[in-house]
Amino acid sequence: QVQLVESGGGLVKPGGSLRLSCAASGFTFSDYYMSWIRQAPGKGLEWVSYISSRTGYTNYADSVKGRFTISRDNAKNSLYLQMNSLRAEDTAVYYCARDRGTCAVDYWGQGTLVTVSS
Amino acid sequence: QSALTQPASVSGSPGQSITISCTGTSSDVGGYNYVSWYQQHPGKAPKLMIYDVSDRPSGVSNRFSGSKSGNTASLTISGLQAEDEADYYCSSYTSSSTYVFGTGTRVTVL
């Protein structure tokens, strides 16, 4: 069955960096777009970024553009999110998700909490 | 990119039907047949309920249906059940090739 397991979350100071990872299994990873989606405590969902299946085309929400970088390693069935210049408003649970490429995210990980605080 | 507009809350009695709206613009909801709906129970990851406006993933009850008219998409839950009580979010593809989520709707089963 499809499994997505995030890691790398934690507490970081404003201005700091963090790298999230997502290990995928149960499907042909290289066939799918992948997305990162976040949810601030008590708030709604916010799409962060996606990466295409083979060409590696990427796109970002305006709120993270220039600070976050999404990448993937199809040989390792892994997705990453490099987060730099972190701000308090980046505090959220970050979900790794399988993406059909048409804004249809059909499998989600359990999420990893990122807290940005001094 | 502004969030799509959803009502904050919708409620209904067991067995009734309810509809949740999701209003965007011609640059997102109105411009593409790429609207999805998600259900999220407290403390859980979201679950895809509807994609491409009206398609249901395998395993999702046919009590859930989606539609779109102009810049507004809708999710209808028929035969409301206690387990349907959750938060619901719409999302859409946009003209910038990004995605945007709705503000979210809390569904309460009375």
Side-chain angles (χ1 to χ4, degrees):
Chain A
Q1 71 282 19
V2 173
Q3 280 199 312
L4 299 167
V5 180
E6 302 95 336
S7 60
L11 175 63
V12 61
K13 289 181 167 53
S17 298
L18 213 54
R19 188 194 196 207
L20 305 183
S21 299
C22 171
S25 60
F27 65 102
T28 304
F29 182 73
S30 58
D31 283 350
Y32 287 86
Y33 278 54
M34 296 294 294
S35 277
W36 288 100
I37 295 160
R38 68 184 181 183
Q39 187 169 34
K43 301 296 184 182
L45 299 172
E46 181 187 14
W47 172 78
V48 173
S49 178
Y50 69 67
I51 185 167
S52 68
S53 53
R54 296 188 188 277
T55 67
Y57 171 78
T58 61
N59 213 336
Y60 299 89
D62 287 345
S63 58
V64 307
K65 197 171 294 184
R67 300 187 299 123
F68 290 11
T69 301
I70 190 172
S71 62
R72 66 191 297 160
D73 185 335
N74 287 341
K76 294 184 177 179
N77 291 343
S78 293
L79 177 72
Y80 307 100
L81 186 68
Q82 177 67 43
M83 304 185 294
N84 298 330
S85 304
L86 283 161
R87 307 166 180 167
E89 54 264 36
D90 295 319
T91 294
V93 172
Y94 284 72
Y95 293 102
C96 163
R98 193 179 84 167
D99 184 345
R100 290 170 178 250
T102 59
C103 190
V105 173
D106 58 359
Y107 286 93
W108 300 64
Q110 84 288 353
T112 186
L113 177 62
V114 172
T115 303
V116 184
S117 174
S118 55
Chain B
Q1 180 70 52
S2 299
L4 307 175
T5 301
Q6 298 180 233
S9 63
V10 173
S11 61
S13 299
Q16 285 187 330
S17 292
I18 62 170
T19 297
I20 303 168
S21 62
C22 170
T23 301
T25 69
S26 58
S27 295
D28 39 64
V29 174
Y32 307 91
N33 287 325
Y34 296 144
V35 176
S36 299
W37 289 90
Y38 302 88
Q39 176 192 66
Q40 186 179 34
H41 287 108
K44 301 292 188 181
K47 175 185 177 183
L48 179 67
M49 306 301 286
I50 295 288
Y51 67 98
D52 295 355
V53 175
S54 60
D55 289 341
R56 266 189 316 275
S58 173
V60 171
S61 171
N62 60 8
R63 297 186 299 104
F64 292 83
S65 61
S67 63
K68 190 185 84 166
S69 178
N71 296 337
T72 298
S74 299
L75 174 72
T76 297
I77 309 173
S78 57
L80 198 62
Q81 298 179 1
E83 69 226 43
D84 300 332
E85 188 161 289
D87 293 327
Y88 291 82
Y89 296 89
C90 62
S91 70
S92 174
Y93 186 78
T94 81
S95 59
S96 301
S97 301
T98 60
Y99 304 161
V100 61
F101 278 96
T103 50
T105 298
R106 173 70 53 88
V107 168
T108 302
V109 181
L110 303 172

